[in-house]
Amino acid sequence: MENPQRTAIAIILGTVLVLLAPFVALQLDHWRYHWRLAPPDTHGDTAMVVSAHGLASEIGRDVLAAGGNAFDAAVAVNFALAVVYQQAGNIGGGGFMVYRLADGANGALDFREKAPLAAHRDMYLDADGNVIKGASLRGHLAVGVPGAVAGMAAAHEKFGSMAWADLLAPAVDLARGGFVLSPKAAKMFNRYQKDFAALNDHTPVVLKPDGWRVGDKIRFPALADTLTRIAENGRDGFYKGLTARLLVAEMDAGGGLITQADLDAYAPVWRAPVRFSYRGHEVISMPPPSSGGVALAQLLKGAEAYDVRRMGHNSAAHIHMMVELERRAYADRASYLGDPDFVDVPVDRLVSDAYVKTRMAAIEPWQKTDSRDIREGRVDRVESVETTHISIVDPAGNAVAITTTLNGNFGSKVVVRGAGFFLNNEMDDFAIKPDHANQFGLLGNAQNAVAPGKRMLSSMTPTIVTKDGDLRLVVGTPGGATIITSVFQTIMNVVDFDMRAQQGVNARKAHSQWQPDLVMLERGTLSVPSMIGLMRRGHRLYAWPRFKYELGRVEAVLIGDDGARRGAADYVRGKDDRAIGF
Ligand code: GLY
């Protein structure tokens, strides 16, 4: 006969164990990530290159070792990434550069794509005013006028010291001679085979219906020819001549809008960076048309009012503070930010101490702000996001932070027939309809509406931090809407939590962006007490699968008090990423 008392105890114990199991698993996961020691930083006595691909970082290192400066290396790395990292490295997209010279002079270069001259506000709406699904994301109509080649040419013209053709030569060699596919590269090419087939009426090199295998060698002869034309003719090798004709023909064939007039009109813009202080450091970041610098200034200035170190890294109080600041910064982003060449963007007011203090004053320490009445955007789309960041410091102490993108992985998925490069799908970064969420779940209004020749709002946040006049950190990341919050957390990791470069990069991350009203979490971010603390404050938590690989992936160089360059590539989330110094 069974003992009823023992049976009852067993049932109760079993129930308790079942109820506790998720908490135990969460806490174990948190410890796993929290206590796993980050490997040592990559050491460089005088120079460091960090990029999304080891082959590109090696090329940058070689340029610096041959006496080139940070700008030379950046040009060479960018073109190399356009070959070995085609999901984001590009000549058919655009980006932003923030630089600081050894003497302290600094600036920013905007080589963001532009809407074609034939673009118009409602171009992605049907006759009833509804968004045409996918039109701003896939295919020829999604393409903005590329800025990458003009941007590199402008950077080289102003600061380069080596011959332009020599900087492109390694990329030409890689494209012509081929390179071996890593597991990640093979996976990425295979994931998009259906799109490559559906959106191209020719057979681009990347199309291989039976799939790419790790170790396959892949060659890009048409891309090598295009890069050779750019090597020989500078920006004209892209915006004029055969490359331009092939690009315009591709547009004509697929119903795209870009014409020779668009290519002729494209010009990058040197802009004054957003500069502000954070706990005795000076932060230099990207101004509009990126929202990165403005939002980062609001977040860090807001955080300065708190004793972040005492809160504890990724504690409930720490994440609550970040999320509440982010809620307000992203709401401002949606309302105020756009292309300053087209709309009035009140940058000075948005980043002023007085405004940030007032804006963030209503944050309650124990209660999340109630957003129940505000409509939610969508985040968890099928479409993947991809951008790429390069951080470089040269032996003289010049620093370059460049973030470039095609927007989605492989952009529009359209390869220019005969020219062999992918075109961006950056038009989706416009607010294609007021309060319609883009692929990152970001909202916008008329400030960021489509207009001919206008640049779409970005989140890219290439950033440089100094202390007492000395270079301290060069940082940036891919990841769409999470770019800003990842840079925010990395700066706090270094400044407030005294983390090494690789610790700061590897640390688990959280993200929130006002809409949707969620705290999006990378696996292992929360301990059980943090989770309970956030839920008590009313937050809705969401374990975001997309954090794996794609988001929160930072490339950084930290400069020690001894002047050594400490590189940290995010090879945990990124796999092929690599820091190389000497
Ligand atoms: N395409 C992503 C961004 O510019 O923010």
Side-chain angles (χ1 to χ4, degrees), residues 47-85 162-179 227 390-395 576 578-582:
M48 184 64 60
V49 179
V50 191
S51 86
H53 202 288
L55 288 171
S57 296
E58 279 174 15
I59 287 168
R61 184 262 327 267
D62 291 347
V63 167
L64 294 179
N69 63 28
F71 299 90
D72 295 319
V75 170
V77 171
N78 253 301
F79 283 110
L81 287 173
V83 179
V84 297
Y85 192 69
M162 288 177 71
W164 170 256
D166 290 346
L167 300 175
L168 271 98
V172 174
D173 289 347
L174 275 173
R176 204 173 301 286
F179 60 95
L227 290 169
I390 305 166
S391 291
I392 299 179
V393 181
D394 69 18
D576 291 339
R578 206 157 137 218
I580 306 183
F582 62 82

Side-chain angles (χ1 to χ4, degrees), residues 94-96 112-113 289-291 333 385-387 403-408 425-426 428-429 438-440 442 456-461 479-484:
F96 299 104
R112 180 72 158 165
E113 299 92 325
S290 181
S291 59
R333 180 194 192 280
V385 300
E386 195 49 273
T387 302
T403 315
T404 71
T405 187
L406 290 166
N407 197 19
N425 61 344
E426 219 70 61
D428 189 62
D429 273 348
N438 74 0
Q439 66 160 335
F440 305 113
L442 292 169
M456 54 298 282
L457 187 60
S458 171
S459 298
M460 290 189 274
T461 315
T482 65
I483 290 175
I484 301 163

Side-chain angles (χ1 to χ4, degrees), residues 347-486:
V347 172
D348 290 344
R349 185 163 73 81
L350 288 169
V351 304
S352 72
D353 291 346
Y355 175 75
V356 174
K357 196 169 170 207
T358 315
R359 180 79 172 121
M360 307 303 179
I363 294 176
E364 297 276 353
W366 294 104
Q367 183 59 44
K368 84 184 256 292
T369 308
D370 191 345
S371 297
R372 277 177 303 184
D373 298 335
I374 305 172
R375 186 176 56 77
E376 290 184 355
R378 286 176 55 193
V379 264
D380 215 13
R381 309 273 180 103
V382 176
E383 175 67 18
S384 276
V385 300
E386 195 49 273
T387 302
T388 189
H389 181 81
I390 305 166
S391 291
I392 299 179
V393 181
D394 69 18
N398 302 304
V400 172
I402 295 186
T403 315
T404 71
T405 187
L406 290 166
N407 197 19
N409 269 314
F410 306 104
S412 61
K413 322 293 189 272
V414 173
V415 177
V416 176
R417 180 199 281 263
F421 62 90
F422 279 101
L423 288 165
N424 67 83
N425 61 344
E426 219 70 61
M427 294 296 282
D428 189 62
D429 273 348
F430 280 116
I432 57 173
K433 182 180 177 181
D435 294 331
H436 172 83
N438 74 0
Q439 66 160 335
F440 305 113
L442 292 169
L443 300 176
N445 59 20
Q447 289 284 89
N448 188 31
V450 183
K454 187 178 178 184
R455 287 176 157 95
M456 54 298 282
L457 187 60
S458 171
S459 298
M460 290 189 274
T461 315
T463 297
I464 294 174
V465 180
T466 67
K467 181 140 199 290
D468 302 329
D470 293 328
L471 185 62
R472 176 107 173 95
L473 181 68
V474 185
V475 62
T477 171
T482 65
I483 290 175
I484 301 163
T485 55
S486 296

Side-chain angles (χ1 to χ4, degrees), residues 530-576:
S530 300
M531 183 189 73
I532 293 169
L534 286 170
M535 289 170 79
R536 275 185 55 202
R537 288 167 171 87
H539 290 287
R540 291 166 58 206
L541 310 180
Y542 177 47
W544 204 10
R546 281 175 59 177
F547 254 121
K548 200 174 174 191
Y549 304 140
E550 291 170 353
L551 307 177
R553 180 176 145 206
V554 172
E555 321 282 10
V557 185
L558 184 63
I559 290 82
D561 293 338
D562 54 358
R565 285 55 165 137
R566 306 207 163 109
D570 198 341
Y571 50 81
V572 175
R573 300 177 184 90
K575 307 293 178 211
D576 291 339

